[in-house]
Amino acid sequence: MSIALKQVFNKDKTFRPKRKFEPGTQRFELHKRAQASLNSGVDLKAAVQLPSGEDLSDWVAVHVVDFFNRINLIYGTICEFCTERTCPMMSGGPKYEYRWQDDLKYKKPTALPAPQYMNLLMDWIEVQINNEDIFPTSVGVPFPKNFLQICKKILCRLFRVFVHVYIHHFDRIIIMGAEAHVNTCYKHFYYFVTELNLIDRKELEPLKEMTTRMCH
C-alpha cells in the first residue's frame, strides 16, 4: 500500500469515530483475532470460522463493528468522487437500484442519490452499534433475541457499499493503489457472511462474476 494511502486508511478521526472494545474483555480478544485475519498470508476462509467454544453472537458482533469501520474508510476514500451529479441514484450498474427505508423519515423504499443513501446508511448503522441494548459492551449482558436478524440487515446493507464502490468507483481505488486492500477486505467480508449464512444469496448477485474470480 502506498504511503499516501496508508495515511488515508490510518486517519481514524477523518471518518466516523470507531466503536472500540474494552481491552481485557473476551470481545476485545475476539476483535484482535478478527483483525489479524487481514494480515497477508492468512487463510481468510479458515479465519472466519467460529472458534470452538466461542459464542456466535460475540463473533458476529466484533465482525459487524470491524466491517463497519473498514467499509466506512473505503467509502471515505472515494466519497469526493461520489456526488449527486456522478451518482444520482444508489445503484450497482443498470440492473440494480437500492432504495432507502428506515421506518422513520423514509417509511417506504425511496430512490436517493448514492451519497445521500450512504450517509443515511452509515448513520443508521452507527446508531445501532452504539446502542447498548443491541450491542452490549458490558460482560455478562446478553444480546437481544433478534440480534442476528439486526446484524443480517446491517451486513446486507454494507454489502451494497461494496457493490457501488466496485461497479462505479473502482477506477479511483486503482488510481490510489488501494485495490489489494479493498479486495482483501471484500474477500474477508464475503467469506464471513457466506460461512455463517448472514446474507441471502440473491443479494450477492451484483458482484457474482467478480466474486467467482476472486474467491473461488
Side-chain angles (χ1 to χ4, degrees):
M1 212 180 344
S2 69
I3 291 171
L5 188 71
K6 272 207 169 99
Q7 287 170 342
V8 170
F9 281 111
N10 290 337
K11 269 188 196 163
D12 293 359
K13 63 181 184 297
T14 308
F15 306 106
R16 288 152 197 274
K18 288 190 171 191
R19 175 70 191 270
K20 294 199 165 57
F21 294 95
E22 285 302 309
T25 64
Q26 178 60 17
R27 269 174 221 153
F28 180 73
E29 295 308 313
L30 286 175
H31 175 65
K32 280 200 305 190
R33 195 182 309 188
Q35 285 222 313
S37 329
L38 265 198
N39 291 344
S40 55
V42 169
D43 178 357
L44 289 172
K45 252 184 171 169
V48 297
Q49 292 167 9
L50 178 67
S52 70
E54 297 297 351
D55 178 69
L56 176 63
S57 293
D58 273 329
W59 189 235
V60 171
V62 297
H63 279 81
V64 166
V65 172
D66 213 27
F67 288 134
F68 170 68
N69 289 334
R70 287 183 197 162
I71 293 167
N72 220 338
L73 283 172
I74 289 170
Y75 181 69
T77 61
I78 59 92
C79 64
E80 65 187 286
F81 306 102
C82 181
T83 65
E84 295 197 5
R85 188 180 60 77
T86 63
C87 306
M89 179 194 302
M90 174 58 183
S91 62
K95 276 173 67 179
Y96 300 96
E97 180 191 342
Y98 299 120
R99 297 183 171 214
W100 182 255
Q101 181 178 8
D102 56 16
D103 298 325
L104 296 168
K105 186 178 173 187
Y106 298 92
K107 296 197 186 296
K108 57 181 188 219
T110 307
L112 295 171
Q116 193 180 345
Y117 183 104
M118 294 290 191
N119 267 320
L120 288 165
L121 172 59
M122 298 305 182
D123 285 346
W124 174 78
I125 296 175
E126 202 171 21
V127 165
Q128 299 197 72
I129 63 176
N130 286 310
N131 182 340
E132 288 283 336
D133 292 334
I134 301 173
F135 282 77
T137 49
S138 304
V139 179
V141 175
F143 289 94
K145 286 190 170 60
N146 62 340
F147 179 70
L148 287 179
Q149 287 308 117
I150 292 169
C151 288
K152 284 178 180 180
K153 196 167 184 182
I154 291 173
L155 291 165
C156 177
R157 287 180 167 181
L158 279 175
F159 179 77
R160 295 171 182 179
V161 181
F162 277 123
V163 173
H164 186 73
V165 168
Y166 270 115
I167 292 174
H168 295 281
H169 301 291
F170 203 61
D171 55 336
R172 299 305 316 176
I173 296 288
I174 291 170
I175 288 166
M176 294 173 70
E179 187 179 358
H181 178 90
V182 175
N183 286 347
T184 303
C185 186
Y186 174 71
K187 281 199 276 193
H188 190 199
F189 181 93
Y190 175 80
Y191 287 140
F192 184 75
V193 299
T194 51
E195 164 73 20
L196 298 173
N197 294 314
L198 295 169
I199 294 186
D200 193 306
R201 290 280 171 173
K202 73 174 187 299
E203 284 285 340
L204 300 173
E205 282 290 317
L207 295 180
K208 189 175 179 183
E209 282 182 34
M210 184 198 80
T211 305
T212 302
R213 286 197 310 273
M214 201 191 289
C215 302
H216 295 292

